[in-house]
Amino acid sequence: MKMKIRKLDAAAADFPRQLSQLLAFEASEDEAIERAVAAILADVKARGDDAVLEYTNNFDKLDATSMASLELPPGELEAALDGLEPKRRAALEAAAARVRAYHEKQRIECGSHSWQYTEADGTVLGQKVTPLDRVGIYVPGGKAAYPSSVLMNAIPARVAGVKEIIMVVPTPGGVRNQLVLAAAHIAGVDRVFTIGGAQAVGALAYGTATLPAVDKIVGPGNAYVAAAKRRVFGTVGIDMIAGPSEILVLCDGTTNPDWVAMDLFSQAEHDELAQSILLCPDAAYLAKVEAAMQRLIDEMPRQAVIRASLEGRGALIKVRDMDEACDIANQIAPEHLEISALNPQPWADKIRHAGAIFLGQFASESLGDYCAGPNHVLPTSRTARFSSPLGVYDFLKRSSLIQVSEDGAQMLGEIAAELAYGEGLQAHARSAEYRLRTS
Amino acid sequence: MKMKIRKLDAAAADFPRQLSQLLAFEASEDEAIERAVAAILADVKARGDDAVLEYTNNFDKLDATSMASLELPPGELEAALDGLEPKRRAALEAAAARVRAYHEKQRIECGSHSWQYTEADGTVLGQKVTPLDRVGIYVPGGKAAYPSSVLMNAIPARVAGVKEIIMVVPTPGGVRNQLVLAAAHIAGVDRVFTIGGAQAVGALAYGTATLPAVDKIVGPGNAYVAAAKRRVFGTVGIDMIAGPSEILVLCDGTTNPDWVAMDLFSQAEHDELAQSILLCPDAAYLAKVEAAMQRLIDEMPRQAVIRASLEGRGALIKVRDMDEACDIANQIAPEHLEISALNPQPWADKIRHAGAIFLGQFASESLGDYCAGPNHVLPTSRTARFSSPLGVYDFLKRSSLIQVSEDGAQMLGEIAAELAYGEGLQAHARSAEYRLRTS
């Protein structure tokens, strides 16, 4: 059956309205989920291990007798890796090595070093950069358990120098995903607990007798996990709460239309709310891509999801030229941006807002999802306007350093006292004045 | 009247419990505020200028006739600066110059540059760093209107290269704080609207016909502003929601006790919930600081606030030695940490968690609050475990760059396809396989 895919023309008078309608996505807040999560978190905070154990046995249909029994022995991770089919193991290890290499470069470039400078009067100013002590990684159970996601979350933390990484992953019915455990071993995860849901987020945030509290929680999860992360934010750090995944393809009309069609599918197959949009100045090319999509859809095992996503939220958009395509891309601020063009660099230079920019026809998003090296945890829902891919910098934090010399205290004290009196803060002023030699 | 200040001994058996009780602070969520803020935000989103104008006239007792009339003409900022008493103007300009100089160094050191590297097969990987387009700065009205806060929020944004900075500041009864407007001019704020509260946060987040939507909102505010910022987070970026201000002083017993007493006062005078704690291995010195506090308190204009803060949340803690003091400091992860010691560096090296570290007896927190150079917007309530001072990096964001060569696509495609099949994502696999020469 033919898909009905939205076709827009950027020259149309009401295109701005159409575009904003296309992009509109409001994460609905479910009161029942909010209440359930609040209750679970409060219970985990109050009763620790006992509460986590009860919820886990209940929700995941287990009959564990202690929190300690929910921790995997380290040997089990190694065994999972050893048990993989050689080709898959090699692929996982190659992907991990590339992700590690990229993030090692990022560590060097991203300002992970402490720095300071000395002023003429001997005052020293600077900033000390320190890795987080302990990080928790949430990994979903069941079908959405992606080993690539384990690599992408754990490796930057390890590269940043985080001392301890604790992974939680629910195992409904006791089923353990061997690829996920193997990925945890490769990524250097220190401890793994087979717990999930809001109870796992609570255990990580507040700590229990068995599971020590972490300083930050990262990783994707369902609506309960997202609600729990929002609620514990402040007690611990969290990564962004991800919206539906998105791809925007800017094409100059020179890429094989089948390739672009499949790139749009690859985003759409994630879930029904995922968004795939193509911008191209060439109407004939847009028609070719649509024809390819109609031809290829029936071959796709996940065609029901792809159809729902493309018909609900996809679009093929005719633009005047590639310059206009870049302007629209900056408005959309997409999670993934493919610039599928013979000479992509001039267009990439015009892009201000995107999570990841893929340049050229060979850079399909799927290569970035698994193994190009950069992180696949990216800002969604236009948040690329103000936020960044998950990276080494998310596992580092800074402290200002202020060492004032006696001479420096004279000059600074005069300024500070004057401004403190101006703000009506006399203790501030006196504290500065005490350091003056004349005082 | 003597203050009753809590005295603890770290050697006591139940010290860990006492410490955690001392630090406990739960920001209460007020349902009435939440409901009011949700309604105001929805109204501003729906009705734009009209809603903002109505709320502003109502809450701030104004009779403005249009949103445009709530914008200050640029000349008014300059006039405010020109109208300042020369000594105060000089102090404000000197502070701004120092804050700018520090943040310029930070820009160079913090990883604000784009970077990329080319692999042997021609694949290029990297990261592009871009300033935010437009930032909103919230400045409280009335007594808590601090010009230093305008400098600390606007200057890092300007240094980062943000194109447009829009400040909002409520003017209840039409009263404008000339120091705040002068600071806005010095800091290079582009536009100022005399609006505040949840309606100002809504206007910045959603945009109106007159006030364009920003990408991030920073700056302190009351409970309504904090609730509104939490709610618009995701639509725009926000800085941390600050808890009560804190100082922790580690003293080796060599600093003039009056100086340390006044440093503790300077934090306490901010508000009744502010927290001032002193750690020292010397019991006799602790007694001297307490005596100084009892002697000095009556001279302080804000003594009611200082008393409430110190009696409610302050503490003088005897520790075994400076090593133990550093351990406790890492547990507390204070916003401000003074290491008031003859040789502070060895202790500073042991500190992992603090917003700002002040080294030596001349580095009083008040110097950092106004003019040392580093930012005074710092992580509170133990969040220094995972977050950083406000900085240039908060106004920059990153996009990954992935340019895959034809050769690179062969190697990466094999890995990606293998892992995609392992995750059951066939369109991902096909998209990678299309780029293989054998396909």
Side-chain angles (χ1 to χ4, degrees), chain A residues 146-293:
Chain A
Y146 293 146
S148 57
S149 173
V150 176
L151 301 182
M152 294 292 183
N153 281 280
I155 289 175
R158 197 90 283 172
V159 170
V162 169
K163 284 200 270 307
E164 188 173 14
I165 301 175
I166 300 182
M167 184 173 115
V168 295
V169 55
T171 53
V175 178
R176 293 168 187 178
N177 182 321
Q178 297 302 306
L179 260 175
V180 162
L181 299 188
H185 187 67
I186 293 173
V189 167
D190 295 295
R191 301 176 71 178
V192 177
F193 288 85
T194 56
I195 59 177
Q199 59 276 17
V201 173
L204 290 169
Y206 307 127
T208 70
T210 308
L211 193 160
V214 303
D215 300 299
K216 187 166 190 166
I217 302 175
V218 299
N222 63 18
Y224 289 85
V225 172
K229 279 170 67 183
R230 266 186 203 281
R231 281 180 178 267
V232 299
F233 175 56
T235 301
V236 295
I238 61 168
D239 55 356
M240 295 287 288
I241 305 284
S245 197
E246 315 143 9
I247 191 171
L248 178 68
V249 181
L250 263 57
C251 188
D252 64 359
T254 62
T255 307
N256 184 328
D258 283 14
W259 297 14
V260 170
M262 194 57 68
D263 294 356
L264 298 171
F265 282 4
S266 75
Q267 195 56 252
E269 76 176 336
H270 272 297
D271 81 78
E272 288 83 352
L273 290 171
Q275 185 158 58
S276 301
I277 300 176
L278 171 61
L279 303 182
C280 181
D282 180 345
Y285 182 80
L286 284 168
K288 279 184 210 166
V289 172
E290 197 198 346
M293 292 165 85

Side-chain angles (χ1 to χ4, degrees), chain A residues 26 45 87-88 91-92 94-95 98 102 105-106 109-111 113 115 117 119 125-128 130 132-133 146-148 163 214-215 234-237 258-259 262-263 265-266 269-270 296 299-302 344 348-349 351-359 361-364 366-367 369-372 374 383-389 393 397-406 409 411-413 415-416 418-420 422-428 430-432 434-435, chain B residues 26 45 85 87-88 91-92 94-95 98 102 105-106 109-111 113 115 117 119 125-128 130 132-133 146-148 163 214-215 234-237 258-259 262-263 265-266 269-270 296 299-302 344 348-349 351-359 361-364 366-367 369-372 374 383-389 393 397-406 409 411-413 415-416 418-420 422-428 430-432 434-435:
Chain A
E26 200 95 25
K45 194 175 185 179
K87 191 178 172 198
R88 193 144 291 174
L92 201 58
R98 292 190 57 86
Y102 177 85
K105 296 265 188 194
Q106 186 180 65
E109 302 284 354
C110 79
H113 56 281
W115 53 274
Y117 60 98
E119 302 193 313
L125 301 173
Q127 208 156 37
K128 174 174 176 162
T130 315
L132 273 56
D133 280 350
Y146 293 146
S148 57
K163 284 200 270 307
V214 303
D215 300 299
T235 301
V236 295
D258 283 14
W259 297 14
M262 194 57 68
D263 294 356
F265 282 4
S266 75
E269 76 176 336
H270 272 297
L296 293 166
E299 303 173 21
M300 303 315 299
R302 294 173 66 82
D349 291 342
I351 299 300
R352 297 193 313 282
H353 310 305
I357 306 172
F358 295 78
L359 294 92
Q361 58 176 342
F362 289 102
S364 70
S366 58
L367 302 181
D369 286 343
Y370 290 107
C371 56
T383 59
R385 291 177 295 123
F386 54 84
S387 54
S388 302
Y393 35 77
K397 37 77 179 196
R398 300 164 164 102
S399 305
S400 302
L401 295 175
I402 304 174
Q403 179 157 24
V404 178
S405 69
E406 185 172 356
M411 181 265 294
L412 294 174
I415 301 170
E418 174 67 22
L419 294 174
E423 292 185 355
L425 297 175
Q426 295 86 356
H428 282 68
R430 287 282 292 279
S431 168
Y434 273 156
R435 271 79 177 183
Chain B
E26 199 96 25
K45 194 174 186 178
E85 198 243 313
K87 192 177 172 199
R88 192 144 292 173
L92 200 59
R98 292 190 56 86
Y102 177 85
K105 296 265 187 192
Q106 186 179 66
E109 301 285 354
C110 80
H113 57 280
W115 53 274
Y117 60 98
E119 301 194 313
L125 301 173
Q127 209 156 37
K128 173 174 176 163
T130 314
L132 273 56
D133 280 351
Y146 294 146
S148 57
K163 284 200 269 309
V214 303
D215 299 299
T235 300
V236 294
D258 282 15
W259 296 14
M262 195 57 69
D263 293 356
F265 282 4
S266 75
E269 77 176 336
H270 272 298
L296 293 166
E299 303 172 20
M300 304 314 301
R302 295 174 64 83
D349 291 343
I351 299 300
R352 299 194 310 283
H353 311 306
I357 305 173
F358 295 77
L359 294 92
Q361 58 177 341
F362 288 101
S364 71
S366 58
L367 302 181
D369 285 344
Y370 291 106
C371 56
T383 60
R385 292 176 297 122
F386 55 84
S387 54
S388 302
Y393 35 78
K397 36 78 177 195
R398 301 164 165 102
S399 304
S400 302
L401 296 174
I402 304 174
Q403 179 157 23
V404 178
S405 68
E406 185 172 356
M411 182 264 296
L412 295 174
I415 302 170
E418 174 67 22
L419 294 175
E423 292 185 353
L425 296 175
Q426 295 85 357
H428 282 68
R430 287 281 292 278
S431 167
Y434 273 155
R435 272 78 176 182

